[in-house]
Amino acid sequence: GKQTFDTDPAGEPIATTPAMSGAAKAVTSTLSRELAAHAAARRRNEAALRAQLSSNDRLCPLFPPPKPGIVPWRAVFRARSHEDAVAIYETIQRSGSVAESWPDLPAEIRADAARHPAALALRSTVISLPIHADRTPAELMEAYDASPDVMA
């Protein structure tokens, strides 16, 4: 089943590799033109989602627009209340599009709520939407417009 808005996944942090392998560098260099096209598509789609969803009085962008040269992977919005966040999240999920809650918090933060009010406030109101490179802005708008409650 799908994860609810208020559920944080359990488990250990994912290990990361600090540097790119030689094979990854070779693949990246040969695909640079494709990567540039994907980056441009992500920038267009982030701007379209930002413009469309910022017109909703229940949401506002959490971060300023990305600077030139930055490739956005998520459009992150803050709902005016936990109830609005849950309603918008569930509506987007029902429409078949992806919405994520953010940030995932470890149990220790929830266990000591008095020490972490800012983290808990963000966790209860932030919605993150993936920025797709394989859709046009019109296709993204159609996907979200299929959910009138998101735009209301």
Side-chain angles (χ1 to χ4, degrees), residues 4 26-27 29 40 45 53-54 58 60 66 71 81 99 105 113 130-131 136 144:
T4 66
V27 169
S29 68
N45 288 344
L53 295 179
S54 292
R58 297 185 302 164
C60 66
V71 181
S81 70
L105 298 177
I131 303 294
T136 66
Y144 288 102

Side-chain angles (χ1 to χ4, degrees), residues 5 62-63 76 100-104 122-128:
F5 180 83
L62 186 60
F63 303 113
V76 184
E100 301 163 332
S101 56
W102 182 85
D104 294 334
L122 286 171
R123 179 60 183 86
S124 72
T125 57
V126 173
I127 297 173
S128 175

Side-chain angles (χ1 to χ4, degrees), residues 3 23 32 45 49 51 63 66 70 74 85 87 113-114 117-118 120 123 133 149:
Q3 183 170 309
S32 62
N45 288 344
L49 275 175
F63 303 113
I70 299 297
R74 297 280 185 275
L120 291 167
R123 179 60 183 86
D149 292 341

Side-chain angles (χ1 to χ4, degrees), residues 73-96:
W73 287 82
R74 297 280 185 275
V76 184
F77 294 88
R78 187 157 188 195
R80 68 179 173 199
S81 70
H82 178 250
E83 294 75 22
D84 283 339
V86 170
I88 293 167
Y89 174 91
E90 289 176 352
T91 300
I92 292 171
Q93 291 278 345
R94 279 194 307 272
S95 78

Side-chain angles (χ1 to χ4, degrees), residues 20 24-44 69-73 133:
M20 223 192 250
K25 287 179 184 177
V27 169
T28 300
S29 68
T30 62
L31 298 175
S32 62
R33 273 183 252 136
E34 283 185 43
L35 291 174
H38 282 286
R42 286 184 186 278
R43 286 186 199 100
R44 280 191 305 273
I70 299 297
V71 181
W73 287 82

